[in-house]
């Protein structure tokens, strides 16, 4: 049996977004092995029941209660086990020190993505191009498709996640994301939740998040009408991975910033109403597949960089405070949408998931479609004779070393 190793050492959402690559490898006849942080092992077994899971300690300071001394022996044993498996292909998706150390155990010719060759860190030519494409973040491709394109013969985007449809169980509200600037304060979120609730037959609400968000859940409840608050369940900090899957599955709608739970909802076919602001841009990390709606902050400074402070007093948050936004969510009439927000709906095309403008402005939309065709031709999923050529894009994104080196 052919075996492929996928090394995904980042967080919750990234594990879910590896799905198209995993499914592609399985359809190509590989037994897929997943190497990931041990905190995600239970979730990985739920998401990818046919994969072999190899957990190690990539984050944190060791096994709880046993201290940092556990890191080296646990990881050494995992490295040893992986080195004894005859993998035909290795997909190394991140560029951390741990990823590079893992890649160095294998024949560099088998490693795709990030690798270390004779002590030098290197990237696959596709990843080299991907880093350049990221300079146009409003036009960038979805991260799911970026990782999947490392493999030939990607499965069609429509085969990755179910078309999102209401399940009849009510509304889920994700209280916050890992980056606080990407999340709406509870006093801003509350009226938007109420507007969305007015359109849903089942009025039950479930608040979702970690233990750190439980207090935010209480504050959000204080901003809801008493009758609504009494029928709202604050599940923040109350669910393990299986509990979170059970809570999200079957919802009519998940209201969320850019979070791992958002990607889980897309995986389960639950419609997403996403609020994207600050460094979040839906064409890069929006929910995968058809049937999702994103309210995207569309200010002149967005998307920004997470690592840099905001120099504009979070002006991308202001449109979400505007009462017109709540009105738009209730009516879905473009004339009710305030300036500074664009509304996109997700679908699938030849390349992967794309987002189509439904209300507001999208000044880069035409260029984004042209870039998608350029990438499609580069990957061989489109015929350049029919859709190209693209001399200006080739001049910008291709470099001499692409032709000089293998």
């Amino acid at each position: 049996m052919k075996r492929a190793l996928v090394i995904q050492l980042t967080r919750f959402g990234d594990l879910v977004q590896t799905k198209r690559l995993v499914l592609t490898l399985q359809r190509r006849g590989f037994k897929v092995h997943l190497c990931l942080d041990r905190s995600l092992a239970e979730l990985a077994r739920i998401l990818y029941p046919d994969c072999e899971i190899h957990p190690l300690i990539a984050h944190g300071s060791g096994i709880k209660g046993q201290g940092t001394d556990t890191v080296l022996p646990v990881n050494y044993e995992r490295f040893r086990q992986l080195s004894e498996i005859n993998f035909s292909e290795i997909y190394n998706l991140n560029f951390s020190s741990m990823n590079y150390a893992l890649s160095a155990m294998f024949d560099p010719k088998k490693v795709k993505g990030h690798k270390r060759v004779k002590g030098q860190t290197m990237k696959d030519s596709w990843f080299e191009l991907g880093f350049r494409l990221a300079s146009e973040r409003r036009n960038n491709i979805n991260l799911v498709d970026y990782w999947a394109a490392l493999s030939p013969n990607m499965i069609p985007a429509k085969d990755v996640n179910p078309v999102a449809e209401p399940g009849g169980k009510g509304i889920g509200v994700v209280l916050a994301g890992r980056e606080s600037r990407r999340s709406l304060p509870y006093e801003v979120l509350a009226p938007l939740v109420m507007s969305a609730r007015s359109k849903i037959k089942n009025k039950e609400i479930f608040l979702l998040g970690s233990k750190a968000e439980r207090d935010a859940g209480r504050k959000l409840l204080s901003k809801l009408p008493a009758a609504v608050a009494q029928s709202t369940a604050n599940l923040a900090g109350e669910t393990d991975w299986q509990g979170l899957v059970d809570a999200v599955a079957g919802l009519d709608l998940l209201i969320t910033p850019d979070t791992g739970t958002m990607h889980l909802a897309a995986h389960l076919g639950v419609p997403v109403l996403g609020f994207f602001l600050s460094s979040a841009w839906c064409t890069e990390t929006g929910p995968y597949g058809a049937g999702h709606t994103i309210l995207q902050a569309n200010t002149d400074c967005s998307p920004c960089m997470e690592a840099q402070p905001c120099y504009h007093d979070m002006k991308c948050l202001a449109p979400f405070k505007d009462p017109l936004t709540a009105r738009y969510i209730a009516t879905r009439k473009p004339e009710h949408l305030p300036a500074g927000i664009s509304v996109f709906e997700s679908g699938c095309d030849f390349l992967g998931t794309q987002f189509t403008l439904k209300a507001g402005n999208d000044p880069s939309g035409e260029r984004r479609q042209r870039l998608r065709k350029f990438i499609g031709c580069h990957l061989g999923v489109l015929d350049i004779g029919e859709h190209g050529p693209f001399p200006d894009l080739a001049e910008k994104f291709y470099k001499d070393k692409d032709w000089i080196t293998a």
Side-chain angles (χ1 to χ4, degrees):
M1 176 183 289
K2 297 189 301 180
R3 295 178 176 84
L5 174 64
V6 176
I7 305 171
Q8 176 57 278
L9 298 184
T10 48
R11 304 290 182 175
F12 169 19
D14 296 312
L15 175 62
V16 187
Q17 291 179 98
T18 313
K19 186 178 180 181
R20 191 181 186 189
L21 174 60
V22 170
L23 294 180
T24 294
L25 294 173
Q26 290 175 335
R27 189 170 292 186
R28 288 178 56 208
F30 285 96
K31 172 67 176 180
V32 178
H33 295 240
L34 274 171
C35 181
L36 40 69
D37 184 71
R38 65 192 304 273
S39 65
L40 296 172
E42 178 191 350
L43 177 63
R45 294 186 178 101
I46 296 168
L47 298 175
Y48 306 113
D50 296 324
C51 292
E52 188 77 24
I53 307 300
H54 301 274
L56 48 72
I57 303 174
H59 306 287
S61 56
I63 297 175
K64 188 176 180 180
Q66 298 183 38
T68 57
D69 291 345
T70 58
V71 175
L72 183 58
V74 167
N75 287 350
Y76 178 83
E77 179 61 18
R78 188 64 64 209
F79 276 40
R80 185 192 64 77
Q81 292 170 357
L82 290 170
S83 68
E84 293 177 353
I85 300 173
N86 182 23
F87 293 111
S88 302
E89 297 178 3
I90 297 97
Y91 292 81
N92 193 23
L93 304 185
N94 325 118
F95 51 97
S96 71
S97 298
M98 184 78 74
N99 283 87
Y100 284 126
L102 274 164
S103 74
M105 298 193 308
F106 304 103
D107 181 348
K109 295 178 181 178
K110 294 183 177 182
V111 180
K112 301 175 185 293
H114 298 279
K115 54 188 170 183
R116 180 173 284 143
V117 181
K118 297 181 180 179
Q120 299 295 312
T121 58
M122 301 179 64
K123 292 191 290 285
D124 235 78
S125 60
W126 165 241
F127 274 16
E128 288 273 10
L129 178 59
F131 271 58
R132 297 170 201 156
L133 292 168
S135 65
E136 295 195 18
R137 293 187 55 201
R138 290 190 176 206
N139 303 321
N140 205 3
I141 67 171
N142 195 283
L143 186 58
V144 175
D145 303 319
Y146 171 68
W147 281 329
L150 274 177
S151 170
N153 305 315
M154 289 187 294
I155 68 168
K158 64 180 179 60
D159 293 346
V160 177
N161 287 334
V163 175
E165 295 180 346
K169 205 171 78 174
I171 301 173
V173 179
V174 181
L175 294 164
R178 190 163 57 91
E179 296 294 332
S180 60
R181 288 201 329 232
R182 292 186 177 204
S183 304
L184 298 183
Y186 63 89
E187 67 275 11
V188 178
L189 180 59
L192 306 184
V193 170
M194 290 302 298
S195 291
R197 182 177 180 270
S198 70
K199 305 290 288 184
I200 303 294
K201 186 175 181 180
N202 186 338
K203 305 299 184 183
E204 291 185 84
I205 298 175
F206 304 90
L207 306 185
L208 304 170
S210 66
K211 289 181 180 178
E213 279 92 52
R214 188 153 184 85
D215 186 56
R218 295 190 189 99
K219 291 177 180 178
L220 178 62
L221 288 171
S222 72
K223 295 295 181 179
L224 300 177
V228 175
Q230 288 175 3
S231 62
T232 298
N234 187 359
L235 302 181
E238 300 296 323
T239 58
D240 57 11
W241 289 122
Q242 185 62 60
L244 180 61
V245 171
D246 293 342
V248 173
L251 289 172
D252 292 295
L253 184 70
L254 183 78
I255 299 173
T256 180
D258 184 0
T259 62
T261 305
M262 176 192 74
H263 297 297
L264 177 62
H267 166 79
L268 295 169
V270 172
V272 166
L273 176 61
F275 301 137
F276 275 47
L277 66 159
S278 183
S279 58
W281 196 264
C282 63
T283 60
E284 291 185 314
T285 56
Y288 202 86
H292 308 290
T293 301
I294 299 296
L295 271 65
Q296 174 72 64
N298 190 8
T299 54
D300 56 4
C301 55
S302 59
C304 59
M305 299 297 293
E306 292 176 9
Q308 295 179 354
C310 175
Y311 299 107
H312 304 284
D313 197 28
M314 283 296 293
K315 69 179 181 180
C316 60
L317 178 61
F320 293 97
K321 298 178 180 179
D322 192 318
L324 282 175
T325 301
R327 189 179 182 191
Y328 172 81
I329 291 172
T331 66
R332 297 301 174 101
K333 294 182 178 180
E335 60 267 28
H336 294 159
L337 189 70
I341 290 181
S342 298
V343 180
F344 293 93
E345 290 187 0
S346 66
C348 298
D349 67 1
F350 61 90
L351 185 59
T353 279
Q354 65 164 341
F355 287 84
T356 302
L357 183 73
K358 291 299 178 182
N361 299 310
D362 183 18
S364 64
E366 184 176 339
R367 180 172 176 82
R368 183 163 59 252
Q369 291 308 311
R370 195 159 180 270
L371 263 172
R372 292 182 73 79
K373 291 180 180 179
F374 168 73
I375 297 167
C377 292
H378 175 87
L379 295 174
V381 297
L382 290 182
D383 181 1
I384 192 169
E386 180 180 352
H387 298 279
F390 308 92
D392 56 326
L393 298 179
E395 185 175 0
K396 177 175 181 178
F397 292 110
Y398 289 151
K399 304 299 179 186
D400 288 345
K401 68 176 184 178
D402 296 336
W403 317 111
I404 295 171
T405 60

